[in-house]
mmCIF file of all heavy atoms in Angstrom:
data_model
loop_
_atom_site.group_PDB
_atom_site.id
_atom_site.type_symbol
_atom_site.label_atom_id
_atom_site.label_comp_id
_atom_site.label_asym_id
_atom_site.label_seq_id
_atom_site.Cartn_x
_atom_site.Cartn_y
_atom_site.Cartn_z
ATOM 1 N N ASP A 28 12.917 12.012 8.721
ATOM 2 C CA ASP A 28 13.400 13.380 8.740
ATOM 3 C C ASP A 28 13.068 14.038 10.075
ATOM 4 O O ASP A 28 11.932 13.993 10.539
ATOM 5 C CB ASP A 28 12.761 14.203 7.625
ATOM 6 C CG ASP A 28 13.114 13.668 6.250
ATOM 7 O OD1 ASP A 28 14.142 12.978 6.140
ATOM 8 O OD2 ASP A 28 12.356 13.932 5.308
ATOM 9 N N VAL A 29 14.060 14.628 10.683
ATOM 10 C CA VAL A 29 13.857 15.344 11.921
ATOM 11 C C VAL A 29 13.504 16.782 11.565
ATOM 12 O O VAL A 29 14.292 17.488 10.946
ATOM 13 C CB VAL A 29 15.114 15.284 12.811
ATOM 14 C CG1 VAL A 29 14.899 16.089 14.071
ATOM 15 C CG2 VAL A 29 15.469 13.851 13.127
ATOM 16 N N LEU A 30 12.295 17.199 11.917
ATOM 17 C CA LEU A 30 11.837 18.528 11.554
ATOM 18 C C LEU A 30 12.283 19.587 12.547
ATOM 19 O O LEU A 30 12.179 20.766 12.265
ATOM 20 C CB LEU A 30 10.306 18.527 11.440
ATOM 21 C CG LEU A 30 9.735 17.608 10.369
ATOM 22 C CD1 LEU A 30 8.220 17.611 10.432
ATOM 23 C CD2 LEU A 30 10.210 18.027 9.002
ATOM 24 N N GLY A 31 12.751 19.222 13.693
ATOM 25 C CA GLY A 31 13.181 20.170 14.704
ATOM 26 C C GLY A 31 12.608 19.803 16.054
ATOM 27 O O GLY A 31 11.973 18.778 16.232
ATOM 28 N N ALA A 32 12.825 20.693 17.006
ATOM 29 C CA ALA A 32 12.365 20.444 18.365
ATOM 30 C C ALA A 32 10.883 20.789 18.498
ATOM 31 O O ALA A 32 10.434 21.810 17.995
ATOM 32 C CB ALA A 32 13.185 21.285 19.341
ATOM 33 N N PRO A 33 10.100 19.941 19.172
ATOM 34 C CA PRO A 33 8.689 20.266 19.377
ATOM 35 C C PRO A 33 8.523 21.360 20.431
ATOM 36 O O PRO A 33 9.166 21.333 21.476
ATOM 37 C CB PRO A 33 8.080 18.952 19.842
ATOM 38 C CG PRO A 33 9.210 18.148 20.368
ATOM 39 C CD PRO A 33 10.445 18.617 19.672
ATOM 40 N N VAL A 34 7.668 22.331 20.110
ATOM 41 C CA VAL A 34 7.439 23.480 20.987
ATOM 42 C C VAL A 34 5.934 23.775 20.991
ATOM 43 O O VAL A 34 5.274 23.635 19.970
ATOM 44 C CB VAL A 34 8.220 24.715 20.472
ATOM 45 C CG1 VAL A 34 7.877 25.960 21.266
ATOM 46 C CG2 VAL A 34 9.706 24.472 20.501
ATOM 47 N N PHE A 55 5.320 31.366 19.266
ATOM 48 C CA PHE A 55 5.941 30.423 20.196
ATOM 49 C C PHE A 55 7.140 31.075 20.851
ATOM 50 O O PHE A 55 7.647 32.096 20.387
ATOM 51 C CB PHE A 55 6.352 29.131 19.471
ATOM 52 C CG PHE A 55 7.283 29.342 18.321
ATOM 53 C CD1 PHE A 55 8.657 29.263 18.505
ATOM 54 C CD2 PHE A 55 6.798 29.629 17.053
ATOM 55 C CE1 PHE A 55 9.524 29.471 17.447
ATOM 56 C CE2 PHE A 55 7.658 29.822 15.987
ATOM 57 C CZ PHE A 55 9.023 29.756 16.184
ATOM 58 N N VAL A 57 11.035 30.398 22.368
ATOM 59 C CA VAL A 57 12.213 29.547 22.433
ATOM 60 C C VAL A 57 13.306 30.330 23.141
ATOM 61 O O VAL A 57 13.621 31.455 22.736
ATOM 62 C CB VAL A 57 12.681 29.113 21.029
ATOM 63 C CG1 VAL A 57 13.995 28.354 21.098
ATOM 64 C CG2 VAL A 57 11.626 28.282 20.341
ATOM 65 N N ALA A 58 13.869 29.755 24.183
ATOM 66 C CA ALA A 58 14.943 30.372 24.960
ATOM 67 C C ALA A 58 14.531 31.752 25.477
ATOM 68 O O ALA A 58 15.320 32.691 25.463
ATOM 69 C CB ALA A 58 16.231 30.457 24.144
ATOM 70 N N HIS A 62 8.732 34.268 19.112
ATOM 71 C CA HIS A 62 8.903 34.239 17.659
ATOM 72 C C HIS A 62 7.539 34.038 17.006
ATOM 73 O O HIS A 62 6.659 33.391 17.564
ATOM 74 C CB HIS A 62 9.817 33.089 17.229
ATOM 75 C CG HIS A 62 11.216 33.194 17.729
ATOM 76 N ND1 HIS A 62 12.175 33.913 17.063
ATOM 77 C CD2 HIS A 62 11.823 32.661 18.819
ATOM 78 C CE1 HIS A 62 13.320 33.810 17.729
ATOM 79 N NE2 HIS A 62 13.120 33.059 18.797
ATOM 80 N N VAL A 79 4.243 22.405 17.581
ATOM 81 C CA VAL A 79 4.888 22.559 16.287
ATOM 82 C C VAL A 79 6.357 22.178 16.395
ATOM 83 O O VAL A 79 6.943 22.221 17.476
ATOM 84 C CB VAL A 79 4.765 24.010 15.751
ATOM 85 C CG1 VAL A 79 3.314 24.366 15.488
ATOM 86 C CG2 VAL A 79 5.396 25.013 16.681
ATOM 87 N N ALA A 80 6.944 21.807 15.268
ATOM 88 C CA ALA A 80 8.372 21.498 15.210
ATOM 89 C C ALA A 80 9.102 22.732 14.706
ATOM 90 O O ALA A 80 8.832 23.231 13.622
ATOM 91 C CB ALA A 80 8.615 20.322 14.278
ATOM 92 N N VAL A 81 10.001 23.237 15.520
ATOM 93 C CA VAL A 81 10.739 24.467 15.222
ATOM 94 C C VAL A 81 12.141 24.102 14.758
ATOM 95 O O VAL A 81 12.787 23.235 15.344
ATOM 96 C CB VAL A 81 10.800 25.360 16.487
ATOM 97 C CG1 VAL A 81 11.593 26.616 16.238
ATOM 98 C CG2 VAL A 81 9.399 25.696 16.962
ATOM 99 N N PRO A 82 12.650 24.748 13.700
ATOM 100 C CA PRO A 82 14.023 24.460 13.255
ATOM 101 C C PRO A 82 15.039 24.759 14.359
ATOM 102 O O PRO A 82 14.795 25.568 15.259
ATOM 103 C CB PRO A 82 14.228 25.406 12.068
ATOM 104 C CG PRO A 82 12.877 25.861 11.655
ATOM 105 C CD PRO A 82 11.996 25.739 12.849
ATOM 106 N N ASP A 83 16.175 24.090 14.273
ATOM 107 C CA ASP A 83 17.218 24.267 15.294
ATOM 108 C C ASP A 83 17.804 25.667 15.281
ATOM 109 O O ASP A 83 18.144 26.211 16.323
ATOM 110 C CB ASP A 83 18.328 23.236 15.086
ATOM 111 C CG ASP A 83 17.831 21.823 15.338
ATOM 112 O OD1 ASP A 83 16.899 21.648 16.146
ATOM 113 O OD2 ASP A 83 18.371 20.893 14.712
ATOM 114 N N VAL A 84 17.931 26.275 14.095
ATOM 115 C CA VAL A 84 18.497 27.621 13.977
ATOM 116 C C VAL A 84 17.370 28.576 13.607
ATOM 117 O O VAL A 84 16.727 28.428 12.578
ATOM 118 C CB VAL A 84 19.611 27.661 12.901
ATOM 119 C CG1 VAL A 84 20.159 29.060 12.761
ATOM 120 C CG2 VAL A 84 20.704 26.669 13.228
ATOM 121 N N LEU A 85 17.126 29.546 14.463
ATOM 122 C CA LEU A 85 16.061 30.525 14.233
ATOM 123 C C LEU A 85 16.644 31.861 13.817
ATOM 124 O O LEU A 85 17.643 32.310 14.378
ATOM 125 C CB LEU A 85 15.235 30.717 15.517
ATOM 126 C CG LEU A 85 14.456 29.498 15.989
ATOM 127 C CD1 LEU A 85 13.855 29.756 17.361
ATOM 128 C CD2 LEU A 85 13.377 29.157 15.007
ATOM 129 N N PRO A 86 16.012 32.528 12.843
ATOM 130 C CA PRO A 86 16.495 33.861 12.455
ATOM 131 C C PRO A 86 16.131 34.889 13.531
ATOM 132 O O PRO A 86 15.194 34.698 14.310
ATOM 133 C CB PRO A 86 15.755 34.134 11.146
ATOM 134 C CG PRO A 86 14.529 33.302 11.222
ATOM 135 C CD PRO A 86 14.896 32.087 12.012
ATOM 136 N N ASP A 87 16.884 35.982 13.574
ATOM 137 C CA ASP A 87 16.609 37.027 14.563
ATOM 138 C C ASP A 87 15.340 37.792 14.230
ATOM 139 O O ASP A 87 14.636 38.244 15.127
ATOM 140 C CB ASP A 87 17.797 38.003 14.636
ATOM 141 C CG ASP A 87 19.037 37.332 15.193
ATOM 142 O OD1 ASP A 87 18.890 36.368 15.968
ATOM 143 O OD2 ASP A 87 20.145 37.767 14.837
ATOM 144 N N VAL A 91 9.163 32.454 10.938
ATOM 145 C CA VAL A 91 9.844 31.181 10.781
ATOM 146 C C VAL A 91 8.829 30.175 10.244
ATOM 147 O O VAL A 91 7.684 30.157 10.690
ATOM 148 C CB VAL A 91 10.397 30.687 12.134
ATOM 149 C CG1 VAL A 91 11.084 29.359 11.990
ATOM 150 C CG2 VAL A 91 11.303 31.714 12.752
ATOM 151 N N THR A 92 9.234 29.362 9.313
ATOM 152 C CA THR A 92 8.355 28.308 8.827
ATOM 153 C C THR A 92 8.443 27.127 9.773
ATOM 154 O O THR A 92 9.526 26.579 10.000
ATOM 155 C CB THR A 92 8.751 27.877 7.408
ATOM 156 O OG1 THR A 92 8.695 29.022 6.553
ATOM 157 C CG2 THR A 92 7.818 26.812 6.876
ATOM 158 N N VAL A 93 7.300 26.745 10.351
ATOM 159 C CA VAL A 93 7.238 25.623 11.285
ATOM 160 C C VAL A 93 6.319 24.558 10.699
ATOM 161 O O VAL A 93 5.548 24.816 9.773
ATOM 162 C CB VAL A 93 6.750 26.070 12.674
ATOM 163 C CG1 VAL A 93 7.735 27.028 13.303
ATOM 164 C CG2 VAL A 93 5.360 26.691 12.607
ATOM 165 N N HIS A 94 6.416 23.374 11.234
ATOM 166 C CA HIS A 94 5.606 22.243 10.789
ATOM 167 C C HIS A 94 4.892 21.657 11.997
ATOM 168 O O HIS A 94 5.367 21.781 13.124
ATOM 169 C CB HIS A 94 6.474 21.168 10.139
ATOM 170 C CG HIS A 94 7.291 21.674 8.994
ATOM 171 N ND1 HIS A 94 6.771 21.869 7.746
ATOM 172 C CD2 HIS A 94 8.589 22.046 8.921
ATOM 173 C CE1 HIS A 94 7.703 22.327 6.947
ATOM 174 N NE2 HIS A 94 8.828 22.449 7.639
#
Side-chain angles (χ1 to χ4, degrees):
D28 298 337
V29 178
L30 298 175
V34 173
F55 57 93
V57 174
H62 296 274
V79 296
V81 178
D83 294 331
V84 178
L85 295 172
D87 293 333
V91 179
T92 302
V93 296
H94 304 281

